[in-house]
Amino acid sequence: DTAVSQTPKYLVTQMGNDKSIKCEQNLGHDTMYWYKQDSKKFLKIMFSYNNKELIINETVPNRFSPKSPDKAHLNLHINSLELGDSAVYFCASSQDFPGQVYNEQFFGPGTRLTVL
Amino acid sequence: DQQVKQNSPSLSVQEGRISILNCDYTNSMFDYFLWYKKYPAEGPTFLISISSIKDKNEDGRFTVFLNKSAKHLSLHIVPSQPGDSAVYFCAASAPGNQFYFGTGTSLTVIP
């Protein structure tokens, strides 16, 4: 049973297109995240989201938007794709525990996006 | 601005020996640190963590050491096994903040 799954695993597309990456977690977690790992291997958070709050990393272009149809899903929509968007995108989730400041994040396998 | 740095992109160690992976950080507000392990084509998986109130945390073959004055942490794996070959990321966070990840160190354990 896959805890955090992402589709597709690979995505190759042309500049200017709009694409979505789906993420689902079956762990019953409260919070989901999107990370981007660029060509220099930096793994940076893009968004964190629970049913109360969306936190956006201010460096993320507004062409990127998370959409959460329900607690188990957080999809990533990207409009007007650019060459620099080529990267591996990881979804993650965590469970919030009262009184616990830090919660272990469980990652999906990643989606490798290539923009031509 | 990379607040967490792993300056060694790769490390090779003989099976049975100790692997030492290093991580430096710049933000003195960081008070929680984690190590993640990543195999090819998989997402990172949590390995071990340490809070700033400790200087050492041990879990089986894995030990994380934290030197707050030097803003440095290290992961020791002993004895190293071929199955430990993976990319290891360190991450750090301040209260209420996001996690900042290093760029990873690729460990190869040679049988």
Side-chain angles (χ1 to χ4, degrees):
Chain A
D1 288 342
T2 304
V4 183
S5 59
Q6 298 178 226
T7 53
K9 194 166 185 178
Y10 300 96
L11 181 56
V12 181
T13 188
Q14 299 284 338
M15 272 176 52
N17 284 350
D18 303 336
K19 290 292 178 186
S20 296
I21 306 172
K22 295 184 177 180
C23 177
E24 177 181 2
Q25 54 95 4
N26 61 9
L27 298 166
H29 285 172
D30 296 321
T31 305
M32 297 183 72
Y33 312 81
W34 276 104
Y35 285 84
K36 177 182 179 181
Q37 186 181 31
D38 61 22
S39 58
K40 295 181 179 177
K41 306 300 183 187
F42 294 135
L43 187 63
K44 291 184 178 178
I45 191 164
M46 301 176 70
F47 305 99
S48 68
Y49 181 80
N50 62 23
N51 56 8
K52 303 167 192 169
E53 192 176 14
L54 171 65
I55 301 174
I56 303 171
N57 185 322
E58 60 188 14
T59 65
V60 175
N62 57 16
R63 297 181 295 103
F64 290 79
S65 57
K67 297 280 194 291
S68 181
D70 54 59
K71 189 177 161 183
H73 297 83
L74 184 67
N75 303 325
L76 182 65
H77 297 269
I78 316 170
N79 295 325
S80 303
L81 276 157
E82 300 178 358
L83 293 175
D85 298 333
S86 294
V88 181
Y89 292 84
F90 289 99
C91 176
S93 71
S94 68
Q95 176 63 44
D96 297 335
F97 295 102
Q100 186 167 315
V101 178
Y102 300 106
N103 304 301
E104 176 191 341
Q105 295 179 18
F106 293 77
F107 283 80
T111 296
R112 182 174 292 279
L113 170 65
T114 303
V115 182
L116 303 175
Chain B
D1 178 26
Q2 193 64 9
Q3 299 191 46
V4 178
K5 298 178 183 178
Q6 293 175 257
N7 292 319
S8 297
S10 63
L11 174 68
S12 290
V13 171
Q14 206 73 32
E15 182 179 3
R17 298 288 186 104
I18 184 171
S19 295
I20 300 176
L21 297 98
N22 294 304
C23 180
D24 297 294
Y25 60 96
T26 57
N27 189 338
S28 57
M29 297 300 293
F30 287 154
D31 66 352
Y32 194 72
F33 306 88
L34 307 91
W35 284 93
Y36 276 82
K37 177 179 179 179
K38 183 184 178 304
Y39 291 117
E42 295 183 11
T45 55
F46 170 77
L47 188 60
I48 192 169
S49 64
I50 188 168
S51 79
S52 59
I53 61 173
K54 294 186 176 182
D55 53 19
K56 176 183 173 181
N57 189 26
E58 192 172 350
D59 183 3
R61 296 185 297 113
F62 302 90
T63 304
V64 56
F65 294 92
L66 176 62
N67 183 334
K68 290 183 288 293
S69 59
K71 295 192 182 70
H72 177 85
L73 67 155
S74 61
L75 175 68
H76 292 212
I77 307 173
V78 56
S80 300
Q81 298 173 355
D84 297 329
S85 297
V87 177
Y88 290 80
F89 291 94
C90 72
S93 181
N97 259 334
Q98 61 184 295
F99 282 106
Y100 293 86
F101 283 80
T103 50
T105 296
S106 178
L107 173 66
T108 302
V109 179
I110 304 163

